[in-house]
Amino acid sequence: MKTYLVTGGAGFIGSNFIHYMFGKYGDAIKIINVDALTYAGNLENLKDIEDLPGYSFVKADICDKDAITEVFDKNDVDVVVHFAAESHVDRSIRDPEIFARTNVIGTLNMLNCARSAWERGDGFKEGARFLHVSTDEVYGSLTGEGTYFYETTPYDPHSPYSASKASSDFIVKAYVDTYGFPALITNCSNNYGPYQFPEKLIPIMINNVLSGKSLPVYGDGKNVRDWLYVMDHAKAIDMVIESGRIGEKYNVGGHNEKQNIEIVKIIIDTIKDMLPEDDKRQAHINYDLITYVEDRKGHDRRYAIAPDKISSEIGWEPETCFEDGIRLTIRWYFDHREWMDRVTSGDYQKYYEEMYK
Ligand code: NAD
Ligand code: DAU
């Protein structure tokens, strides 16, 4: 039975990954979810699996050496799946320090604790793997149609967030090169799906359309992102753990590039189509909700992943096309209004008012 230590499992992708893994392997695996429960972490995301015998939760900060060492001491961990991070670009522009602490120092601490736990003579525990979950933003911004991010594309991060993720990727690579540490890296494009915190484009727009609030589009709305349904990312991570080569990095994306303004219009049209015709919200749902606001500082223009390596080496392909994925996502937010009400209460209002004033 494989034991996974998942960091950041109460966040968006981490909680979807845990659902994916129990859905696929059932009681044949154990998962220990280690999360500090920052504003972005929510145990409600795991309510339906919290009683599974293979699941346990430890509230801990990834920078806390004693707490993480204790998790390794108490459990025979085979695989670390490292999601925990500060993940929002806008927050990194306003408060970069916490990004360096969590994303760089936190990753270093996870590597050190795993290295101590897994060291066996000159090598490491048989089969042990450390999967570092990273982003396509480390490659910077693409110019020119038909250009893509490959694993060989030089790093050129622009935001404090992407710089902190790039730094953490380099530290992971250094542990592979220096100690032969059994790590791998995935660099994924923009995810969307259930449980995403409404500070990111898609859940903000869904929530605002449903509440009749304006839809804040940065700059000219023509920045391009490459969107992937979160369960396809979860599947990629599992496949890289199983079949990826130690020390390698794998880009993850599904060739689904769209301008932000296209995404916003698709969300408006799809919600209109999915709501019953006599729903009173129909009256206010139209493109007039779109409001162009001040651009993000240092705003990357275009991201686009070339997933050739993960496809040819590992056989991963995305399964959910955007038309289906966005409907599944909107349906989830329709059915979880109380989740949205809870996460948008308290500090969120302050964040929103300051961010979009
Ligand atoms: P998220 O912000 O939704 O979740 C982050 C989780 O990490 C939260 O549960 C939070 O409580 C936890 N966390 C934060 N600081 C911590 C600390 N010091 N100790 C322990 N736990 C801590 O993020 P997400 O969108 O799910 O992203 C997860 C990972 O995937 C990140 O590493 C991110 O860089 C990467 N990634 C995200 C995307 C995307 O589109 N969201 C795409 C590619 C890669
Ligand atoms: O590419 C992967 C990255 O995708 C991840 O590493 C990050 O963790 C994740 O947050 C995401 O970063 P982005 O900055 O691309 O995502 P975000 O949802 O914040 O913004 C997507 C685009 O939409 C971006 O061009 C900015 C724009 N935007 C965003 C918000 C929140 C708006 O126009 N209005 C908004 O209100």
Side-chain angles (χ1 to χ4, degrees):
M1 179 183 278
K2 239 185 216 173
T3 298
Y4 296 79
L5 191 174
V6 172
T7 70
F12 163 50
I13 308 177
S15 59
N16 277 288
F17 175 75
I18 293 175
H19 280 102
Y20 176 85
M21 293 298 277
F22 280 123
K24 179 168 180 195
Y25 297 105
D27 53 14
I29 57 166
K30 274 189 184 169
I31 294 182
I32 308 139
N33 173 16
V34 174
D35 199 298
L37 299 183
T38 67
Y39 79 92
N42 184 356
L43 287 180
E44 201 179 333
N45 299 358
L46 296 153
K47 203 87 205 114
D48 49 334
I49 56 106
E50 68 184 7
D51 293 329
L52 292 181
Y55 174 75
S56 58
F57 172 68
V58 177
K59 184 171 189 297
D61 184 336
I62 54 165
C63 300
D64 181 341
K65 184 177 175 204
D66 293 343
I68 301 300
T69 301
E70 195 180 324
V71 175
F72 277 101
D73 286 349
K74 286 189 174 161
N75 300 279
D76 188 11
V77 174
D78 299 295
V79 179
V80 173
V81 192
H82 179 40
F83 293 99
E86 288 294 333
S87 69
H88 190 36
V89 173
D90 292 321
R91 288 185 192 255
S92 82
I93 293 167
R94 294 153 149 250
D95 183 14
E97 249 181 77
I98 180 90
F99 284 73
R101 179 187 181 273
T102 301
N103 299 359
V104 185
I105 305 298
T107 300
L108 182 64
N109 188 49
M110 288 306 304
L111 289 165
N112 283 336
C113 294
R115 188 179 154 221
S116 301
W118 289 343
E119 255 170 354
R120 304 280 188 277
D122 287 343
F124 293 95
K125 177 182 164 160
E126 179 70 33
R129 295 286 183 275
F130 187 109
L131 192 287
H132 176 60
V133 181
S134 192
T135 171
D136 59 358
E137 298 202 10
V138 297
Y139 299 119
S141 186
L142 289 163
T143 47
E145 280 295 301
T147 51
Y148 295 97
F149 295 137
Y150 290 87
E151 288 79 1
T152 48
T153 302
Y155 276 26
D156 184 21
H158 297 124
S159 73
Y161 163 70
S162 52
S164 69
K165 292 296 289 188
S167 309
S168 64
D169 289 14
F170 282 135
I171 292 174
V172 173
K173 183 178 180 310
Y175 272 56
V176 173
D177 295 347
T178 308
Y179 308 114
F181 185 75
L184 307 97
I185 300 175
T186 50
N187 295 89
C188 189
S189 62
N190 286 61
N191 284 212
Y192 69 100
Y195 305 109
Q196 189 168 28
F197 193 79
E199 61 186 355
K200 310 281 166 63
L201 181 72
I202 288 185
I204 276 207
M205 296 302 161
I206 295 174
N207 188 39
N208 286 13
V209 170
L210 290 175
S211 337
K213 280 163 74 175
S214 67
L215 309 177
V217 174
Y218 299 165
D220 63 4
K222 292 188 176 157
N223 300 65
V224 171
R225 297 292 182 265
D226 184 355
W227 295 93
L228 183 70
Y229 191 62
V230 63
M231 280 300 183
D232 281 326
H233 187 190
K235 183 175 87 163
I237 290 170
D238 177 38
M239 290 178 78
V240 170
I241 292 165
E242 290 304 312
S243 315
R245 285 179 293 137
I246 287 174
E248 292 293 317
K249 69 205 294 296
Y250 295 89
N251 284 356
V252 187
H255 280 307
N256 181 43
E257 290 172 50
K258 295 209 181 323
Q259 291 185 345
N260 296 335
I261 190 64
E262 286 179 74
I263 294 284
V264 173
K265 288 181 175 172
I266 290 171
I267 289 172
I268 295 171
D269 294 342
T270 312
I271 291 182
K272 235 182 148 43
D273 186 52
M274 287 173 73
L275 280 177
E277 271 178 28
D278 59 356
D279 190 297
K280 61 180 186 316
R281 288 169 294 187
Q282 288 281 10
H284 71 241
I285 300 177
N286 55 58
Y287 291 173
D288 292 344
L289 289 173
I290 296 170
T291 311
Y292 289 91
V293 298
E294 189 185 332
D295 208 356
R296 175 183 276 174
K297 289 186 173 61
H299 199 174
D300 287 336
R301 193 63 174 168
R302 175 172 164 257
Y303 303 148
I305 283 276
D308 307 31
K309 179 174 172 182
I310 191 169
S311 163
S312 62
E313 253 189 42
I314 296 186
W316 174 86
E317 300 290 342
E319 285 173 18
T320 311
C321 67
F322 191 72
E323 291 67 27
D324 292 346
I326 198 68
R327 280 184 173 262
L328 287 171
T329 305
I330 291 171
R331 169 61 53 204
W332 188 87
Y333 284 100
F334 276 1
D335 295 344
H336 293 80
R337 288 304 291 166
E338 15 25 269
W339 181 94
M340 185 60 92
D341 291 343
R342 272 195 285 279
V343 303
T344 54
S345 63
D347 286 352
Y348 178 82
Q349 290 307 332
K350 200 165 147 244
Y351 165 80
Y352 193 89
E353 277 156 27
E354 278 174 14
M355 182 68 212
Y356 296 102
K357 65 178 174 247

